[in-house]
Each structure stands twice: as structure tokens, then as C-alpha cells.
Amino acid sequence: MSIAALQDFLYIMFELTLLFFSISFIINFLEGYIPYAKMTYFLTKHHPLLGAGIAIAFAFITPFCSCSTIPVVVSLLNQQVRFGIVMVFLFASPVLDPTILTLMATILGVKVALAYTIITAIMSILIGFALEKFRFEHQVKQVIVKGEMRLGKKRNIKEALQETFQLMKNVYPYLLVGAGIGAIIHGVVPSKWISTYMGGDKWWLVPLAAIIGIPLYIRLSTMIPISQMLLAKGMALGPIMALMISSAGASLPEITLLHSIFNKKLIAAFIGSVITMATLSGWLFYVI
């Protein structure tokens, strides 16, 4: 690795570490003040659109690891929350996280982060209710949550720091990988090659990126520094966003876990929906 690439790596890691640690600590400290019980009540007792809005907010403040979403989904289903609203949460939770969105705003720009948030939220709502319309709730297995969910646990500063360090321990390797790949791309891959073959408004790049993203399992925390360098080299924003959404929204570990609560038809519909969501979102990024 060249000196310039090493300098890029160190700068990216310093920036990501500072932002990720600070925001994670704030979220862990404030989580205990979030009224989860009231949110669950609104999910079950009010108009579907209000419930969908609450589900998006719920997705925004819950743990961002896609596999952490599954026990929350099971809990919501057991509480008889409307199927479409649970699906809204399932689609939104892995792709909407305040820490990741803040990193995105800092590195890719506020406009990109805002557009990403709005597009993925709307797509999650539309797809969630579409699956309900096609009566996929009959493809849900009977699963009971064992133990209590720990959402809403109040923490003092020491406990919030411990939780943040634990989160950093789990996520930091992905940040390192992302920063390393981003630095290599910046120092090794020619800008002309990326702008020629992966730039412009080629429509087929977006669905291709959406399909590729699922087996790759590239977490958002890994993709953000990579996307920064790809954009700097001339790659179009649409395929990057499609890759980010599909890899975060339907990772292989999450799909494996979903087999324990969904039948095969719903699993297939879930994967197809994530690819559709990533593709349509990527195309929308061509016009913003």
C-alpha cells in the first residue's frame, strides 16, 4: 500500500471512529428515555399509516445490526401488531440507523443522507403494505419469543460507555475493512476505469448492484468509506446506493434467521422486495 493510500486509511479511520463512538454513546445513553411501550401501543391500536410512521421511527432507534431485528419482529408479531407494519419495520430497521446516517451525511453529504432516508422509508412502507395486500401473513410460522426484550433499558454514563465499547468491538472490524478497501480503491484503481465502466447513467448497473449486494453481505458501516472513494473516482451514485441497500437489507445471516419464522414463499418475497427496493432507490438517485 502506498504512503498516500495509508494516509487516506488513517484519516478515514480517525473520522469514522470519532463519529461512530460519539453518536453510539449518545444513542445508548438516551435509549432508556424512549417510550417503547407507548410506541408498541400506537403500532397496534391506531390507523395503519400512523402505525407505519411509528414503525419507521422504531426502526430508526433500534439496534442497527440486521440480525438484531429478528427477535424484535417476532415480539411484534406475538403482540398481534399488524403484519404490514411489522414488515415496514423489518425492511427499514437494517437500512435506517442514526449512527450510520450521520456518518453518511458527514462523508457523502447531507443531501445524499436525507434523500437516502426519505427514499428507503417510503419504499419500506410501500413494500410492507404490498406484502400484506398479497396476504403473505399466512406464510409466518408460529414462533414464541423466549425471554424479555431489553429495549428501553436506562443506562448511566458508565453503562452507556460499556455498551458503546461492546458495539465498537462488534462493528469496528467492518469499519477497518471498509476504510482499507476505500484507501486501496483511492490509491490503486484508476479513476478513468471507474468513470468509464461504472459511471454515467447506465440503467443496468443499478439492478446488477442490487443483486450482487445480497450475497456479498457488505454492512453499511463498511460500505460508507468504500462509497466515498468510488464516488471520488467517478462511479455513479445510483449503483452505490443500490449496493448499500441490498447488502444491508437482506444479508445472508439475516435471511438464515428469517427461515426460522417465515416460510419459503415469504423468504423469496422478502429477497425480491429488497432487490426491488434497492433497484428503484438506485434509479431515483440518478435524478436527484
Side-chain angles (χ1 to χ4, degrees), residues 1-10 180 183-189:
M1 184 183 290
S2 68
I3 299 298
L6 180 60
Q7 290 175 337
D8 286 331
F9 171 77
L10 293 175
I184 292 172
I185 290 172
H186 184 263
V188 176
V189 182

Side-chain angles (χ1 to χ4, degrees), residues 82 99 155 204 217 228 287:
R82 183 169 173 163
T99 306
R155 303 181 179 94
W204 52 268
Y217 186 34
Q228 180 188 22
V287 299

